[in-house]
């Protein structure tokens, strides 16, 4: 196959139109009409003739007649070759030797003898061909003539149709665009995908690029052409899909694609097939803005538009009973994604939406439509209070299913709404808040108490296996490679899940390069393929308008049945719930140990030390205290007492006694009331 040329002629620029503004003029630079030009009616007739000829020439009947004639011409040539063979060529060669032998009687006579002999052999071959074809065709010709005489016009029409069909079969074009190429013995040089003019050339382009990187393929098939580029399927001859996925950045060079312009998706149903998407331009240049959602016009079970996939499919999930995690680095569009999710939920009449953000301003544009809100690094106490209340409701609601006529899950309604809490900057939560969040993830789905967690990065301490296993909808934007493993699991990168190849925005001012901001890979709620999505955008001004409208229309609140069952007077924190912002780390970690154990009245020191070792192994791991198991426990317990006393001294809490206590027949440890005295929590909240 010939390589398409990379040289292209630039199209002539159109002449500028005259200005439509009054008081301005522009010179007409078009060439003057020649004086000998033909009248308009002649041009119109010529155009009609050309149009008619083009229409007739492309009519199927004309095309098929041409193909049939070409087919019979091919048949005639084949039969002629069978009749004469190579004798005409040999006779011409012998006659040329006669002319070349002028002046030599011996050579001339020898060449004449060859000519005569070849001529006789040709005549004998013709007679033999005509005799064999005549004996074979005479019965068929006789039967055909008899059928024509007996059947008349209908048989003649049948014969004609058969003749045309045979001609079409032999004369159909052999150079069609199949869109698929087989691997040839020799490979040509790669060429840019932009030079591919049809499916076959696109397939050949990708085949050559793969061959240049040493990837053995059995076939390459161009599936379709999108507005943004090509979709191509490669069938591996050997190896594994990861061979292509890992070399995607190298393949972008011979294909002349933009950075991160090659997306690879292994096909689960066929180990050797990989779908390649060659992105030449922005696939999201026509993505719509966030759709208008009137106050209380939706229910939580409804499917709502959140994002659009690069192949044009809309992502419209139902968020009922779904925990969500959003991971994107700085400039990755995490705030846009959270705002889009909150916009969809605050339009529902049967869900209370909360905003818990220890590190920023959270869902500020939609603040008026939110049920509870605790924002800022000095609001950790309120965040913990709200999470504690949500956990109590999550545990209490299953006891109400039978009483309220529900089945196996809480059924949200405007009178008994679901609860969805957005937690941005999850790693900045206190240890207790994290433990409360994990317990909500484990118990809240059936009660429709749900979380939307967000973080700039993921690590084992911040978002562990327990979170990854209980979250159904995972959204990952521009991030690190290790974040992909933590959220999507090991081997996800080799399967085509590569949000680490997305680029965050470079600035937020108007005109800055947004690059891949608010683009993400999504797994869950029907999304199973490693394709890029982009979330619809809701700007701050429009968000504030929607928040005011929804607040004015009335937002739901947590039902009395749930509050009573959870032994709560209200859902939400007060100013008195603020936790001191200067609490030492050891205090918050010990408080987290109590929260992980469901806030018992007493917790033994070995249980606290086990929690510390799991959550801060660099400081509290067993290897930090030696090899002797007995000494390890003793030294760790002494260090715990010393650090807690140091924390109390720093906080100037002279009336707090941190001497470990011992329950009957058990190990020494601490009471929850003692720890709450340090954190400033009310003592009557003890479990």
């Amino acid at each position: 196959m010939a390589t398409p040329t990379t040289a292209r002629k630039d199209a002539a620029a159109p002449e500028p139109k005259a200005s439509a503004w009054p008081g301005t003029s522009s010179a007409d630079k078009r060439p003057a009409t020649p004086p000998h030009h033909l009248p308009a009616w002649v041009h119109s007739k010529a155009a009609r003739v050309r149009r008619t000829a083009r229409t007739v020439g492309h009519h199927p009947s004309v095309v098929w007649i041409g193909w049939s004639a070409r087919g019979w011409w091919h048949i005639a040539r084949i039969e002629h070759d069978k009749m004469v063979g190579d004798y005409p060529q040999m006779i011409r060669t012998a006659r040329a030797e006669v002319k070349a032998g002028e002046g030599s009687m011996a050579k001339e006579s020898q060449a004449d003898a060859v000519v005569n002999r070849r001529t006789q052999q040709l005549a004998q071959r013709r007679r033999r061909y005509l005799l064999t074809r005549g004996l074979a065709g005479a019965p068929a010709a006789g039967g055909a003539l008899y059928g024509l005489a007996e059947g008349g016009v209908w048989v003649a029409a049948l014969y004609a149709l058969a003749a045309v069909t045979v001609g079409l079969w032999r004369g159909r074009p052999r150079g069609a665009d199949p869109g698929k190429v087989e691997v040839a013995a020799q490979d040509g040089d790669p060429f840019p995908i932009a030079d591919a003019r049809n499916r076959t050339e696109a397939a050949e382009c990708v085949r050559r690029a793969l061959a240049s990187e040493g990837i053995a393929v059995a076939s390459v098939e161009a599936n379709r052409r999108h507005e943004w580029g090509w979709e191509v399927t490669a069938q591996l001859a050997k190896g594994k899909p990861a061979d292509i996925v890992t070399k995607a950045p190298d393949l972008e060079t011979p294909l002349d694609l933009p950075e991160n312009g090659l997306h690879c998706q292994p096909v689960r149903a066929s180990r050797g097939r990989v779908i390649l998407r060659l992105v030449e331009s922005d696939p999201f240049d026509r993505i719509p803005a966030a759709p208008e959602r009137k106050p209380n016009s939706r229910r939580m079970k409804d499917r709502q538009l959140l994002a659009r996939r690069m192949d044009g499919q809309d992502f419209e999930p139902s968020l009922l009973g779904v925990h969500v995690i959003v991971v994107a680095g700085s400039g990755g569009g995490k705030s846009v994604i959270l705002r889009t999710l909150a916009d969809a939920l605050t339009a529902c009449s049967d869900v209370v939406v909360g905003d818990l953000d220890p590190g920023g301003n959270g869902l500020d544009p939609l603040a008026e439509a939110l049920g509870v809100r605790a924002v800022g690094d000095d609001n950790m106490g309120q965040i913990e209070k709200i999470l504690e209340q949500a956990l109590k409701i999550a545990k209490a609601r299953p006891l109400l299913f039978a009483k309220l006529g529900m089945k196996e899950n809480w059924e949200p309604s405007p009178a008994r709404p679901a609860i969805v809490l957005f937690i941005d900057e999850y790693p900045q939560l206190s240890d207790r808040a994290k433990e409360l969040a994990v317990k909500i993830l484990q118990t809240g789905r059936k009660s429709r108490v749900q979380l939307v967690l967000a973080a700039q990065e993921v690590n084992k301490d911040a978002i562990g296996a327990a979170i990854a296993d209980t979250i159904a909808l995972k959204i990952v934007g521009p991030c690190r490679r290790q974040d992909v493993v933590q959220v999507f699991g090991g081997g996800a990168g080799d399967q085509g899940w590569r949000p680490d190849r997305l680029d965050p925005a470079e600035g937020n001012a108007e005109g800055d390069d947004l690059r891949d901001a608010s683009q993400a890979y999504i797994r869950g709620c029907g999304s199973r393929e490693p394709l890029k999505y982009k979330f619809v955008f809701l700007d701050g001004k429009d968000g504030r308008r929607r928040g005011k409208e929804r607040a004015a229309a009335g937002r739901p609140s947590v039902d009395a049945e749930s509050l009573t069952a959870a032994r709560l007077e209200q859902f939400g924190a007060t100013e008195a719930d603020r936790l001191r912002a200067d609490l030492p780390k050891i205090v918050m970690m010990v408080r987290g140990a109590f929260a992980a154990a469901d806030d018992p009245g007493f917790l033994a020191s070995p249980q606290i030390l086990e929690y510390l070792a799991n959550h801060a192994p660099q400081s509290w791991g067993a290897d930090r205290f030696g090899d002797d198991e007995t000494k390890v426990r003793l030294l760790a317990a002494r260090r715990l007492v010393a650090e807690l006393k140091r924390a109390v001294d720093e906080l100037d809490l002279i009336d707090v006694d941190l001497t470990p206590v011992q329950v009957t027949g058990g190990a020494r440890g601490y009471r929850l009331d003692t720890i709450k005295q340090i954190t400033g929590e009310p003592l009557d909240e003890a479990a």
Side-chain angles (χ1 to χ4, degrees):
M1 173 186 145
T3 303
T5 178
T6 57
R8 295 179 175 177
K9 296 182 179 180
D10 295 330
E15 292 293 338
K17 296 182 179 179
S19 173
W21 292 96
T24 61
S25 61
S26 59
D28 187 355
K29 299 181 180 181
R30 293 176 297 178
T33 304
H36 57 277
H37 72 279
L38 296 175
W41 62 270
V42 174
H43 284 294
S44 61
K45 283 188 176 181
R48 284 198 298 270
V49 170
R50 289 193 300 270
R51 196 160 50 246
T52 302
R54 186 163 53 249
T55 302
V56 172
H58 287 80
H59 194 275
S61 60
V62 176
V63 173
W64 292 345
I65 292 173
W67 288 0
S68 182
R70 181 169 57 187
W72 282 107
W73 172 253
H74 289 167
I75 293 173
R77 290 182 60 185
I78 292 172
E79 294 300 320
H80 179 267
D81 290 342
K82 290 181 180 179
M83 182 175 64
V84 301
D86 295 332
Y87 286 100
Q89 178 64 34
M90 290 187 291
I91 292 173
R92 286 194 295 271
T93 302
R95 287 175 176 169
E97 292 178 355
V98 171
K99 293 181 179 180
E102 293 180 354
S104 174
M105 297 296 296
K107 289 184 179 181
E108 287 184 8
S109 60
Q110 185 178 3
D112 282 336
V114 172
V115 170
N116 294 333
R117 186 170 64 254
R118 298 300 187 197
T119 303
Q120 293 176 0
Q121 291 172 344
L122 174 59
Q124 293 174 359
R125 184 183 178 95
R126 283 174 174 169
R127 286 195 297 270
R128 186 166 55 251
Y129 172 83
L130 294 174
L131 179 61
T132 55
R133 284 292 187 269
L135 293 175
L145 291 174
Y146 177 79
L148 183 62
E150 293 293 330
V153 177
W154 291 107
V155 174
L158 182 62
Y159 289 169
L161 180 61
V164 171
T165 302
V166 172
L168 283 173
W169 177 254
R170 299 304 301 270
R172 70 188 188 281
R174 305 290 180 175
D177 177 21
K180 185 174 183 178
V181 294
E182 300 295 332
V183 175
Q186 296 181 351
D187 292 322
D189 295 331
F191 57 90
I193 188 62
D195 291 342
R197 295 161 295 188
N198 53 47
R199 293 173 57 232
T200 302
E201 292 182 357
E204 177 67 9
C205 173
V206 173
R207 184 190 69 79
R208 293 189 181 191
L210 293 173
S212 69
E213 291 296 327
I215 300 174
V217 292
S219 66
V220 179
E221 181 176 2
N223 303 330
R224 59 178 298 190
R225 179 76 162 92
H226 296 273
E227 292 183 357
W228 43 262
W230 287 94
E231 182 180 296
V232 179
T233 298
Q235 179 71 44
L236 293 172
K238 61 180 181 178
K240 53 186 182 297
D243 297 338
I244 296 182
V245 176
T246 55
K247 290 187 177 181
D250 299 328
L251 289 168
E252 291 169 358
T253 300
L255 293 170
D256 194 23
L257 289 172
E259 184 180 3
N260 302 331
L262 180 61
H263 300 266
C264 309
Q265 176 192 348
V267 179
R268 291 179 176 270
S270 177
R271 172 75 174 171
R273 292 174 59 203
V274 181
I275 298 177
L276 308 178
R277 292 176 176 87
L278 289 70
V279 182
E280 302 175 68
S281 59
D282 184 8
F284 303 111
D285 58 350
R286 297 184 181 180
I287 189 171
E292 187 66 35
R293 300 179 174 104
K294 298 297 182 182
N296 298 325
S297 61
R298 310 295 175 90
R299 297 292 294 271
M300 197 177 182
K301 65 181 180 180
D302 295 338
R303 295 184 176 275
Q304 299 195 56
L305 175 64
L306 299 180
R308 176 165 291 176
R309 202 165 71 179
M310 62 183 296
D311 60 357
Q313 293 190 21
D314 290 336
F315 181 59
E316 299 177 325
S318 169
L319 297 177
L320 180 62
V322 176
H323 295 301
V324 185
I325 183 171
V326 180
V327 178
S330 177
K334 175 169 56 69
S335 298
V336 173
I337 297 173
L338 294 179
R339 189 185 303 172
T340 300
L341 294 170
D343 175 54
L345 289 171
T346 53
C348 298
S349 62
D350 57 351
V351 57
V352 174
V353 181
D355 180 18
L356 311 179
D357 186 356
N361 60 356
L363 306 174
D364 186 66
L366 297 166
E368 295 189 37
L370 302 176
V372 292
R373 196 159 187 250
V375 176
D377 57 3
D378 60 342
N379 276 336
M380 191 60 66
Q382 293 182 332
I383 292 174
E384 290 181 2
K385 186 68 174 181
I386 294 173
L387 289 173
E388 180 185 354
Q389 294 173 345
L391 178 58
K392 290 181 178 180
I393 294 174
K395 291 181 177 180
R397 275 184 170 178
L399 303 176
L400 301 174
F401 289 170
K403 178 182 177 181
L404 299 178
M406 299 180 183
K407 297 179 181 179
E408 297 181 354
N409 297 295
W410 187 264
E411 299 173 6
S413 65
R416 300 185 180 96
I419 300 174
V420 179
L421 300 178
F422 284 73
I423 304 178
D424 199 359
E425 301 301 342
Y426 175 85
Q428 296 185 24
L429 292 182
S430 66
D431 291 322
R432 183 186 179 223
K434 291 178 184 177
E435 291 297 340
L436 292 170
V438 170
K439 289 188 174 296
I440 293 174
L441 291 174
Q442 295 170 344
T443 62
R445 189 184 66 82
K446 287 181 175 293
S447 301
R448 303 313 189 215
V449 179
Q450 303 166 207
L451 298 183
V452 178
L453 305 181
Q456 293 191 23
E457 59 185 34
V458 181
N459 55 60
K460 186 176 180 180
D461 294 335
I463 302 178
I467 293 179
D469 293 340
T470 54
I471 292 181
L473 180 56
K474 303 171 183 178
I475 303 169
V476 184
C479 64
R480 307 171 305 168
R481 183 65 182 271
Q482 54 265 41
D483 297 332
V484 181
V485 176
Q486 289 288 340
V487 179
F488 291 143
D494 293 339
Q495 297 172 9
W497 299 89
R498 296 302 305 273
D500 55 306
R501 296 190 68 198
L502 300 177
D503 294 322
E506 297 180 351
N508 296 319
E510 184 176 353
D512 287 344
D513 187 2
L514 298 180
R515 310 193 78 176
D516 298 327
S518 73
Q519 295 183 28
Y521 285 73
I522 301 176
R523 178 180 288 178
C525 292
S527 176
R528 293 292 182 269
E529 298 180 350
L531 295 174
K532 288 196 305 182
Y533 290 80
K534 185 168 185 175
F535 281 75
V536 295
F537 180 71
L538 174 67
D539 62 31
K541 182 179 180 180
D542 195 20
R544 283 184 285 273
R545 174 185 63 80
R546 297 186 186 193
K548 292 180 180 179
E549 292 177 353
R550 293 166 186 177
R555 298 292 301 142
S557 58
V558 179
D559 56 289
E561 294 97 330
S562 296
L563 293 176
T564 301
R567 298 181 180 180
L568 297 174
E569 295 181 0
Q570 64 178 7
F571 181 66
T574 64
E575 187 64 24
D577 294 315
R578 283 184 183 272
L579 202 63
R580 297 180 58 171
D582 57 347
L583 289 176
K585 179 66 174 177
I586 184 61
V587 175
M588 298 309 299
M589 292 185 69
V590 172
R591 187 64 183 90
F594 275 90
D598 282 340
D599 280 353
F602 172 85
L603 198 61
S605 294
Q607 293 176 272
I608 297 176
L609 292 172
E610 182 180 1
Y611 177 89
L612 297 178
N614 290 334
H615 288 73
Q618 68 280 5
S619 300
W620 292 93
D623 57 339
R624 309 290 296 179
F625 300 96
D627 300 328
D628 189 324
E629 184 176 353
T630 303
K631 289 185 177 180
V632 165
R633 292 179 180 178
L634 180 60
L635 293 175
R638 288 178 178 176
R639 179 181 171 187
L640 175 61
V641 174
E643 292 206 12
L644 283 175
K645 288 184 176 181
R646 187 181 302 113
V648 169
D649 292 339
E650 291 177 3
L651 296 172
D652 197 21
L653 300 174
I654 58 176
D655 56 344
V656 177
D657 183 8
L658 281 176
T659 303
V661 298
Q662 184 177 22
V663 297
T664 303
R668 299 174 66 85
Y670 293 91
R671 297 189 184 279
L672 179 59
D673 286 350
T674 303
I675 304 303
K676 284 189 173 184
Q677 283 183 286
I678 305 175
T679 61
E681 299 173 73
L683 300 183
D684 58 351
E685 293 290 334

